C-alpha cells in the first residue's frame, strides 16, 4: 500500500491542489490544509478555533465553489472567483489579519450569505476539518471504481476531497483499517472512523457541474453513505507521493480516538449453524463492541457484500459474544452470507431501526409474524422488562410444516419470561393459509400490533387490524428495503413542486433531478437530521404540514403519524414541512 496522489485544500469548501511533498504535524494535518474557512452568516464566529462545518460556506450547500481556483504556498493563498465574474486573483497571508479581512470582503462579493450574522474569513492553525480530531482523510480509489462500475456514473475519487489517494488496497478494505495505526515515513496516523458523505460528492471535479447524487448512489448500491476514512496524526513527519504505507498494528494511544459509530466495519463470524428449515444463524463479533453499546432489542444489522450486495437482518440477540442474525437462504445475498465460515469477516453496519421493544410493546400487544419474520419476534422479546410489563401479549406465528428451530427457541424465550400474560399460537400453512378474518379473531382485545413477514402477508395483517378496529398508527411494521440499480429512474415522472419550510421560512422548487427531499433540503442550506440515508433508521423524519409525498422505494423505518422520511420521499405536489 502506498500514496498514489495527495491533495491540499487551503480554503475549506473550495477546490484543492495537488501536492507531491508536504509536512504533516501531530494533532493537525497536512501543512496548509483547510487553513482558513469562510463564515456563512448563520452564527457569530469565534477566534479561529475549530467550528462545525455548518457555520461555513462549503460545497455541500454552495456547489458554485467548485468553479473557483485556489493555489497556495503557505502561508500565502491565492484565490480567483469564477471566470464569469471577471475578477482578478487575490493573494493573502493567513497570518495577517488585514489580509484575512480583505480576503473575506473578496469572498463576500461573490458568495451570498446564508444568515444574518457578520461574515469573516477565519484562520485555524490546526485545520478546519469536518471532524474535530481528524487531520487527514484517505480515499481508496478501488472502492470508488466499484461505485462507478455498478452505478454507471463517473465517480472520480477527487469528488470525495481526500488528502491521500492510496493504491494497493482492495475495494472496501479501508474499513478494516479503522482502529489501526499507519506509519508513513516518520509520521504515524491513527485511523479513527469512516467518512459519511454529503451532497458535495455530487459535483464533478472536471466539469464543476452537479451531475449525480453522490449519497444516493452510495446508499443505493453500497447500503451506506460512507466513502473514505479519517485519521488523527500521532507523530509528525513528511509525506511524499509514492511513499509506502505500513500497518503497525493497534496502539493504546489510538483506542480512545475511535468514537462509537454505526458505520461500516468488519465483523467476524465466530459461530454458524445451519437449520433444516433453510435458515442459517450467524454469531458476529464486533471488533469495537459498538453492537453491545448501541443495540436495543428489535433493531437490525445491515450486511454489505463486495459484489456489492446488501441486506438487512433482524438481530435476534446481543451478548458479550456478539450479535446473532438468522438468514433465510434464498436470493444472492443470503446465499453468499450462508456460505461464510467461522473465522470469516464480513462488512456490516448498524444497529439500525426504531422497531424496538420499548417503543412497540404496549399494554395489550399482538406480535404477528410469518416465516423468517419470527426473528423480529425474538428481537422484540429480547427486552424482558418491556415484555413483562405488558398486561396482555399475544404471539402469532405462521409457517409451513413442523415447528422451526427458531420457533422452538421462541418458546424457550417465552418460558423464561415466566408470565401468564403471554399466549402463543403457531399456524401451519401446509393445508391452508390464515386470512384476515382469522387473524382479526386472534388479535382479540389487542390495542397495538407488531407485524413482520412478506409483503402480501403484511398487507393481510393490516386488513385484519382494520377489521379488529386497530388504527394504522398502532400497527408497527418493518419492511426491509433492498438495493435497486435504477432509483433515479423512479423520480422521472414526478413533476416540479414547491417546497415550503415553515420554521425557517425557506421556499424552493423541487424537480426530479434533485432526488429525494433530504438532498434538496441540504442544497438549500437546511440541515435535517440524517443517519442511514436509506430509509431504515428514521432519523431524517420531519413533520408534513401540508401536501403529500411519495416513496419511490418504500422505507423500512417506522414513521410517526404526520412524519415524512426525507431521505426516501419526493413531493407528490406542493408540500409544507415543519422545519
Amino acid at each position: 500500500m502506498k500514496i498514489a496522489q495527495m491533495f491540499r485544500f487551503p480554503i475549506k469548501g473550495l477546490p484543492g491542489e495537488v501536492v507531491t511533498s508536504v509536512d504533516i504535524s501531530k494533532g493537525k494535518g497536512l501543512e496548509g490544509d483547510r487553513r482558513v474557512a469562510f463564515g456563512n452568516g448563520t452564527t457569530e464566529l469565534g477566534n479561529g478555533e475549530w467550528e462545525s462545518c455548518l457555520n461555513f460556506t462549503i460545497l455541500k450547500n454552495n456547489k458554485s465553489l467548485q468553479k473557483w481556483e485556489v493555489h497556495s504556498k503557505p502561508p500565502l493563498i491565492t484565490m480567483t472567483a469564477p471566470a464569469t465574474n471577471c475578477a482578478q486573483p487575490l493573494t493573502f497571508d493567513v497570518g495577517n489579519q488585514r489580509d484575512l479581512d480583505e480576503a473575506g470582503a473578496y469572498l463576500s462579493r461573490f458568495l451570498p450569505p446564508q444568515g444574518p450574522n457578520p461574515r469573516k474569513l477565519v484562520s485555524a492553525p490546526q485545520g478546519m476539518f469536518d471532524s474535530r480530531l481528524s487531520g487527514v482523510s484517505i480515499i481508496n480509489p478501488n472502492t470508488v471504481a466499484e461505485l462507478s462500475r455498478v452505478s454507471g456514473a463517473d465517480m472520480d475519487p477527487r469528488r470525495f476531497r481526500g488528502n491521500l489517494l492510496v493504491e494497493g488496497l482492495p475495494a472496501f478494505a479501508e474499513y478494516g483499517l479503522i482502529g489501526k495505526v499507519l506509519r508513513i515515513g516518520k509520521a504515524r496516523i491513527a485511523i479513527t472512523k469512516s467518512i459519511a458523505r454529503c451532497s458535495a460528492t455530487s459535483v464533478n471535479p472536471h466539469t464543476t457541474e452537479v451531475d449525480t447524487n453522490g449519497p444516493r448512489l452510495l446508499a443505493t448500491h453500497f447500503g451506506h453513505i460512507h466513502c473514505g476514512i479519517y485519521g488523527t496524526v500521532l507523530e509528525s513527519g513528511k509525506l511524499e507521493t509514492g511513499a509506502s504505507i505500513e500497518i503497525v498494528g493497534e496502539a493504546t494511544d489510538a483506542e480512545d480516538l475511535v468514537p462509537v459509530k454505526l458505520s461500516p466495519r468488519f465483523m467476524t463470524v465466530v459461530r454458524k449453524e445451519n437449520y433444516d428449515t433453510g435458515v442459517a444463524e450467524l454469531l458476529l463479533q464486533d471488533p469495537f463492541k459498538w453492537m453491545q453499546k448501541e443495540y436495543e432489542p428489535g433493531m437490525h444489522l445491515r450486511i454489505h457484500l463486495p459484489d456489492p450486495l446488501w441486506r438487512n437482518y433482524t438481530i435476534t440477540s446481543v451478548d458479550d459474544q456478539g450479535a446473532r442474525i438468522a438468514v433465510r437462504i434464498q436470493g444472492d445475498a443470503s446465499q453468499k452470507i450462508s456460505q461464510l465460515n467461522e473465522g470469516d469477516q464480513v462488512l456490516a453496519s448498524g444497529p439500525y431501526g426504531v422497531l424496538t421493544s420499548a417503543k412497540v410493546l404496549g399494554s395489550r400487544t399482538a406480535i404477528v409474524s410469518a416465516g423468517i419474520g419470527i426473528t423480529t419476534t425474538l428481537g422484540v422479546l429480547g427486552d424482558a422488562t418491556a415484555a413483562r410489563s405488558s398486561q396482555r401479549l399475544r404471539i402469532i406465528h405462521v409457517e409451513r410444516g413442523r415447528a422451526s428451530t427458531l420457533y422452538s427457541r421462541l418458546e424457550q424465550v417465552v418460558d423464561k419470561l415466566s408470565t401468564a400474560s403471554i399466549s402463543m399460537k403457531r399456524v401451519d400453512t401446509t393445508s391452508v393459509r390464515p386470512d384476515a378474518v382469522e387473524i382479526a379473531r386472534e388479535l382479540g382485545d389487542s390495542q397495538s400490533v407488531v407485524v413482520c413477514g412478506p409483503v402480501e402477508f403484511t398487507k393481510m395483517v393490516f386488513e385484519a387490524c382494520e377489521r379488529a378496529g386497530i388504527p394504522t398508527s398502532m400497527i408497527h411494521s418493518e419492511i426491509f428495503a433492498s438495493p435497486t440499480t435504477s432509483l433515479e429512474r423512479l423520480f422521472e415522472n414526478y413533476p416540479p413542486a414547491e417546497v415550503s419550510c415553515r420554521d425557517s421560512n425557506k421556499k424552493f422548487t423541487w424537480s426530479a433531478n434533485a432526488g429525494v427531499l433530504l438532498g434538496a433540503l441540504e442544497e438549500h442550506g437546511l440541515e435535517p437530521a440524517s443517519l442511514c440515508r436509506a430509509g431504515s433508521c428514521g432519523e431524517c423524519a420531519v413533520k408534513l404540514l401540508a401536501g403529500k409525498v411519495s416513496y419511490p422505494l418504500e422505507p423500512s423505518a417506522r414513521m410517526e403519524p404526520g412524519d415524512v422520511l426525507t431521505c426516501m420521499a419526493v413531493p407528490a405536489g406542493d408540500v409544507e414541512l415543519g422545519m
Side-chain angles (χ1 to χ4, degrees):
M1 184 169 48
K2 65 180 183 180
I3 299 175
Q5 282 185 292
M6 293 192 295
F7 297 89
R8 174 168 57 203
F9 300 84
I11 306 176
K12 186 177 181 66
L14 272 64
E17 58 184 357
V18 176
V19 292
T20 57
S21 179
V22 64
D23 291 328
I24 189 168
S25 302
K26 180 178 179 180
K28 300 180 181 179
L30 276 67
E31 181 188 17
D33 189 51
R34 275 82 173 186
R35 188 64 169 81
V36 293
F38 185 52
N40 58 20
T42 57
T43 188
E44 188 171 345
L45 296 176
N47 59 0
E49 294 299 319
W50 185 89
E51 299 265 3
S52 167
C53 65
L54 303 182
N55 298 333
F56 299 109
T57 298
I58 53 176
L59 192 59
K60 175 180 178 178
N61 49 41
N62 189 333
K63 303 302 189 295
S64 72
L65 297 181
Q66 190 63 39
K67 299 180 183 296
W68 287 61
E69 291 185 14
V70 181
H71 304 284
S72 73
K73 189 174 182 181
L76 301 179
I77 298 175
T78 300
M79 61 179 170
T80 309
T84 53
N85 295 286
C86 300
Q88 294 297 312
L90 175 69
T91 299
F92 62 98
D93 185 336
V94 299
N96 185 302
Q97 187 58 52
R98 182 177 296 179
D99 277 15
L100 288 176
D101 292 342
E102 182 182 358
Y106 181 95
L107 289 162
S108 294
R109 286 169 52 194
F110 307 107
L111 300 175
Q114 296 169 303
N117 292 285
R119 305 166 73 196
K120 60 182 178 180
L121 190 68
V122 296
S123 171
Q126 79 278 18
M128 200 68 78
F129 310 105
D130 285 355
S131 176
R132 184 189 295 269
L133 293 177
S134 298
V136 60
S137 56
I138 300 174
I139 303 297
N140 181 3
N142 285 331
T143 297
V144 180
E146 273 295 282
L147 182 59
S148 295
R149 180 184 68 82
V150 297
S151 69
D154 172 24
M155 299 302 287
D156 188 300
R158 291 185 300 161
R159 285 182 187 260
F160 299 94
R161 300 172 65 81
N163 294 124
L164 310 183
L165 302 188
V166 300
E167 63 180 55
L169 195 62
F172 312 111
E174 62 270 29
Y175 301 115
L177 298 178
I178 299 173
K180 301 290 193 298
V181 176
L182 307 182
R183 183 177 293 282
I184 310 173
K186 293 183 178 180
R188 209 161 56 95
I189 302 171
I191 303 304
T192 59
K193 59 183 177 180
S194 59
I195 306 173
R197 291 301 173 176
C198 67
S199 60
T201 57
S202 301
V203 183
N204 188 317
H206 294 289
T207 67
T208 72
E209 301 296 333
V210 176
D211 61 4
T212 189
N213 187 324
R216 174 54 56 188
L217 288 183
L218 287 166
T220 299
H221 297 286
F222 290 174
H224 58 76
I225 59 165
H226 295 253
C227 186
I229 49 180
Y230 273 137
T232 296
V233 182
L234 302 178
E235 290 183 18
S236 303
K238 182 180 289 291
L239 306 184
E240 296 183 338
T241 301
S244 296
I245 302 174
E246 179 187 2
I247 302 172
V248 293
E250 302 175 14
T252 55
D253 52 358
E255 292 176 355
D256 293 338
L257 299 173
V258 181
V260 175
K261 292 287 181 181
L262 308 182
S263 55
R265 68 273 193 192
F266 283 97
M267 299 177 70
T268 303
V269 180
V270 294
R271 189 179 307 143
K272 186 182 81 168
E273 294 184 62
N274 291 315
Y275 302 142
D276 55 8
T277 51
V279 172
E281 187 175 54
L282 282 72
L283 174 62
L284 302 174
Q285 188 175 75
D286 189 333
F288 307 112
K289 305 292 184 181
W290 291 345
M291 289 298 306
Q292 288 88 332
K293 296 173 183 176
E294 296 295 319
Y295 171 74
E296 293 181 52
M299 300 178 81
H300 61 268
L301 192 66
R302 187 167 296 170
I303 303 297
H304 312 271
L305 298 171
D307 293 67
L309 286 171
W310 58 269
R311 289 292 187 274
N312 295 310
Y313 296 96
T314 299
I315 302 165
T316 56
S317 66
V318 172
D319 55 30
D320 290 340
Q321 293 181 298
R324 291 172 179 81
I325 60 170
V327 179
R328 180 176 292 282
I329 306 173
Q330 59 182 23
D332 289 344
S334 297
Q335 289 278 358
K336 292 178 184 296
I337 293 171
S338 69
Q339 294 168 7
L340 293 170
N341 296 309
E342 293 180 4
D344 288 345
Q345 289 194 321
V346 65
L347 194 63
S349 62
Y352 299 116
V354 294
L355 203 69
T356 59
S357 304
K359 294 180 179 179
V360 303
L361 293 182
S363 58
R364 297 198 300 274
T365 301
I367 307 176
V368 187
S369 61
I372 197 63
I374 195 172
T375 56
T376 293
T377 308
L378 284 166
V380 168
L381 293 182
D383 186 340
T385 301
R388 292 190 181 108
S389 66
S390 297
Q391 296 175 12
R392 180 76 170 134
L393 187 58
R394 298 174 182 269
I395 299 172
I396 306 160
H397 180 62
V398 177
E399 62 183 0
R400 184 179 179 83
R402 62 184 180 83
S404 64
T405 302
L406 292 177
Y407 187 81
S408 299
R409 182 181 300 169
L410 178 60
E411 290 179 314
Q412 296 171 5
V413 169
V414 171
D415 285 343
K416 289 180 180 179
L417 290 174
S418 303
T419 173
S421 65
I422 300 180
S423 65
M424 292 183 65
K425 179 167 185 177
R426 177 182 173 276
V427 180
D428 182 358
T429 61
T430 301
S431 56
V432 62
R433 293 178 179 274
D435 58 17
V437 174
E438 182 179 350
I439 295 297
R441 184 167 55 249
E442 294 295 337
L443 295 178
D445 62 349
S446 299
Q447 297 175 328
S448 62
V449 174
V450 179
V451 56
C452 190
V455 174
E456 292 303 316
F457 175 81
T458 300
K459 289 180 179 178
M460 183 269 290
V461 176
F462 268 74
E463 181 184 342
C465 291
E466 184 179 0
R467 288 176 175 271
I470 299 171
T472 302
S473 61
M474 298 303 292
I475 306 173
H476 311 295
S477 66
E478 194 160 42
I479 304 172
F480 288 155
S482 297
T484 175
T485 58
S486 57
L487 186 62
E488 276 67 26
R489 294 182 182 178
L490 301 177
F491 302 149
E492 291 177 354
N493 296 325
Y494 287 87
E498 294 300 313
V499 178
S500 302
C501 301
R502 180 177 295 182
D503 297 343
S504 59
N505 199 31
K506 287 203 173 188
K507 295 182 180 181
F508 61 89
T509 300
W510 176 91
S511 59
N513 61 8
V516 292
L517 271 171
L518 178 60
L521 291 166
E522 290 177 334
E523 285 190 10
H524 288 83
L526 294 163
E527 295 291 338
S530 63
L531 185 59
C532 74
R533 290 182 179 250
S536 65
C537 72
E539 285 290 320
C540 67
V542 301
K543 289 296 179 184
L544 180 64
L545 304 178
K548 293 182 179 180
V549 299
S550 180
Y551 292 99
L553 182 65
E554 194 68 25
S556 61
R558 174 189 170 230
M559 290 171 282
E560 298 295 331
D563 280 358
V564 53
L565 287 187
T566 58
C567 78
M568 300 296 284
V570 296
D574 296 347
V575 297
E576 184 178 17
L577 305 176
M579 65 174 301

